[in-house]
Amino acid sequence: MEIRRRWPTVLGAALLLVFSVFVAAPPAQAAPARAGALVDVVCTGNETSTYTPPLTNTPQPTTVQSSENYSCTSLLTGVSSGTSTTTISGSYSCVISLQPFSATSTYHWNTGQTSTAEYDVTLVRAANNTTVVTAVGTVTAGLGQGAAFTNVIVKPALNLTACASGGLAQLTGPATLTLLL
């Protein structure tokens, strides 16, 4: 009979010990904070490239001004729209070079903040003759410094008639942009 009276006491002590371990355990350590604020900007919009002089079938010195306009969502930053204008120069023609290159752009957000991104660009010709431009890099200054930067633009198929005659002055295509930290 002595064993039967101790069983509830032993069981109660064991449960108390287990319960006290869970209650007294130190809280889980939080992940170390990164420098700067967290960023989660996801945008969709369009990109328009203007060619001066217009592109023809013969390579010539050309200035390309790319203007991007976005509607965005962000749970952490309040960003709801953004724009960017980037200018590059080189020898270009309607025979699009698929050579990768590097560039820098500054994005202006509706919040008054900016983000400067440095990125590498790759171009892939799709089966429907569109060109997919993919830029991958890092935000180097401003909102989201250190964030991963990705921008994908789909350039429509070139108007070959325009390329053979007066030249192609402008192309517009859909674009998506993300900044994630």
Side-chain angles (χ1 to χ4, degrees):
M1 288 297 218
E2 187 90 18
I3 295 175
R4 287 185 187 174
R5 280 190 248 164
R6 287 189 182 175
W7 178 247
T9 305
V10 172
L11 181 60
L15 287 173
L16 183 60
L17 178 64
V18 169
F19 180 72
S20 67
V21 168
F22 284 114
V23 171
Q29 295 294 322
R34 294 184 184 186
L38 293 178
V39 176
D40 69 332
V41 180
V42 178
C43 306
T44 58
N46 64 62
E47 187 266 0
T48 299
S49 293
T50 304
Y51 307 99
T52 309
L55 297 178
T56 64
N57 289 328
T58 305
Q60 61 183 334
T62 305
T63 299
V64 181
Q65 183 175 11
S66 296
S67 299
E68 299 172 58
N69 293 292
Y70 293 102
S71 292
C72 307
T73 58
S74 175
L75 296 174
L76 303 172
T77 66
V79 169
S80 62
S81 63
T83 62
S84 176
T85 301
T86 303
T87 303
I88 60 172
S89 296
S91 183
Y92 300 107
S93 73
C94 284
V95 182
I96 293 178
S97 169
L98 298 179
Q99 296 299 314
F101 62 93
S102 297
T104 301
S105 296
T106 298
Y107 292 84
H108 301 270
W109 308 112
N110 64 294
T111 59
Q113 298 169 293
T114 61
S115 298
T116 299
E118 294 181 9
Y119 48 89
D120 295 320
V121 179
T122 57
L123 298 99
V124 175
R125 181 80 55 160
N128 64 358
N129 211 26
T130 62
T131 301
V132 179
V133 180
T134 303
V136 176
T138 304
V139 177
T140 57
L143 176 68
Q145 184 172 353
F149 169 90
T150 305
N151 192 0
V152 178
I153 301 164
V154 179
K155 298 278 193 176
L158 297 175
N159 180 332
L160 299 179
T161 303
C163 291
S165 58
L168 181 66
Q170 195 173 73
L171 280 176
T172 299
T176 59
L177 171 71
T178 59
L179 305 178
L180 298 175
L181 178 65

